Amino acid sequence: MSNTPNADLPLPTGCHVTLDNGLSLHYLDIGSGPVVVWLHGSGPGASGFSNFKGNYPVFEKAGYRNIVLDLPGFGRSDKPDDVNYDLDFFVSCLGGFLDKTGIDRCTLLGNSLGGAIALGAALAYPERVEKLILMAPGGVEERETYFQMPGIVRMVEVFGQGPMGVEEMRHVMSLQLFDASQLDENLLKERAAVAVTQPANLFSTMLVPNMTERLGEIRVPILGFWGTDDLFNPPAGALKILERSPHVRFIMLNRCGHWVQVEHQALFNRECLTFLNDE
């Protein structure tokens, strides 16, 4: 197991819960009301806070309880160096987390890897999922397709060269957005500080299967977002979900990269709250 300390990370400190498998997961618990569990994407230095800090405060004001989770291997959560970071592992940890925190039903909101985990969880325990909000979710292409995308090629290349400082992080993160001028310096510092604590096996063992043929099993309402200039996940994935899932709508945005919730923050927040409030 990795024993790299998380105490000095420039991220807010929230709650920790220990799963039955021994892993300690960190999360923010903000607001009260119906529960939205926020699942961030992958990439060096990712955390729930750095992905969603411009979004969940708006949901709090609208009357929702926001559980902003750091997935294992990320943020302030444990980062074991002796596990396979595949989809089954993440979905199992999410299920254990919901058990330990007493969350029976919730909306799962996921970006990229977090979107794949949301899809996987909806298939694994549909009785616990009320709605899905997906931003450029993984899990709808073969692994080889993702690893040919320019953003992932650069991410793997830079992470493999050793510890990532702020400038290395900027080199990777600039591809997340259509307009890289929106990159926040504090976000780069946050992610660089987390990246040096992450084990090498995090990305080398990360395996997310293609769930396209099972999408029709997901019966809950889905709201999706995708930027047409996404350099990490192919935007054509939206059509696969639209064609197979019975209760889904997608918002496609041009001049938008992988982070809809950052580049089109007001639109994202507004559309999500309308979807959540719709009975």
Side-chain angles (χ1 to χ4, degrees), residues 93-111:
C93 287
L94 176 59
F97 173 81
L98 296 178
D99 289 340
K100 291 293 184 179
T101 52
I103 297 171
D104 294 323
R105 284 179 61 80
C106 62
T107 291
L108 295 178
L109 184 156
N111 172 228

Side-chain angles (χ1 to χ4, degrees), residues 64 131 223 249 268-279:
Y64 289 90
K131 294 182 178 182
L223 172 63
R249 66 185 179 94
F268 174 82
N269 293 339
R270 181 177 66 249
E271 293 295 332
C272 286
L273 291 175
T274 297
F275 173 69
L276 289 173
N277 291 331
D278 184 4
E279 298 296 332

Side-chain angles (χ1 to χ4, degrees), residues 20-215:
D20 288 342
N21 62 11
L23 292 182
S24 174
L25 299 188
H26 173 263
Y27 64 102
L28 304 178
D29 190 343
I30 310 292
S32 60
V35 179
V36 179
V37 176
W38 299 70
L39 304 170
H40 62 78
S42 67
S47 70
F49 177 74
S50 66
N51 263 209
F52 302 124
K53 57 185 172 180
N55 311 112
Y56 70 81
V58 178
F59 286 55
E60 177 194 6
K61 292 179 181 177
Y64 289 90
R65 179 186 175 193
N66 300 275
I67 305 296
V68 186
L69 180 62
D70 286 343
L71 296 169
F74 296 90
R76 289 183 174 273
S77 289
D78 279 352
K79 305 173 180 66
D81 57 10
D82 58 354
V83 302
N84 288 327
Y85 287 91
D86 55 24
L87 185 66
D88 286 344
F89 170 73
F90 285 118
V91 170
S92 175
C93 287
L94 176 59
F97 173 81
L98 296 178
D99 289 340
K100 291 293 184 179
T101 52
I103 297 171
D104 294 323
R105 284 179 61 80
C106 62
T107 291
L108 295 178
L109 184 156
N111 172 228
S112 196
L113 170 64
I117 296 169
L119 289 170
L123 290 168
Y125 33 88
E127 73 283 354
R128 307 189 75 160
V129 179
E130 293 181 327
K131 294 182 178 182
L132 293 176
I133 298 175
L134 308 172
M135 300 94 81
V140 293
E141 303 285 353
E142 298 299 327
R143 189 173 191 266
E144 293 73 20
T145 299
Y146 291 119
F147 275 78
Q148 292 171 3
M149 295 295 290
I152 293 181
V153 169
R154 181 180 294 184
M155 181 184 75
V156 171
E157 176 186 279
V158 176
F159 186 76
Q161 292 173 354
M164 294 180 65
V166 171
E167 290 311 311
E168 289 81 8
M169 190 60 66
R170 190 191 314 277
H171 187 57
V172 172
M173 297 299 295
S174 63
L175 295 188
Q176 292 269 20
L177 307 175
F178 177 80
D179 178 7
S181 69
Q182 295 188 50
L183 275 179
D184 176 72
E185 289 297 315
N186 287 330
L187 182 146
L188 294 174
K189 293 176 183 177
E190 291 160 8
R191 290 185 66 114
V194 172
V196 297
T197 71
Q198 293 178 297
N201 66 314
L202 174 58
F203 299 109
S204 64
T205 65
M206 192 172 289
L207 180 63
V208 176
N210 187 344
M211 294 176 278
T212 298
E213 296 309 315
R214 295 195 63 194
L215 292 172

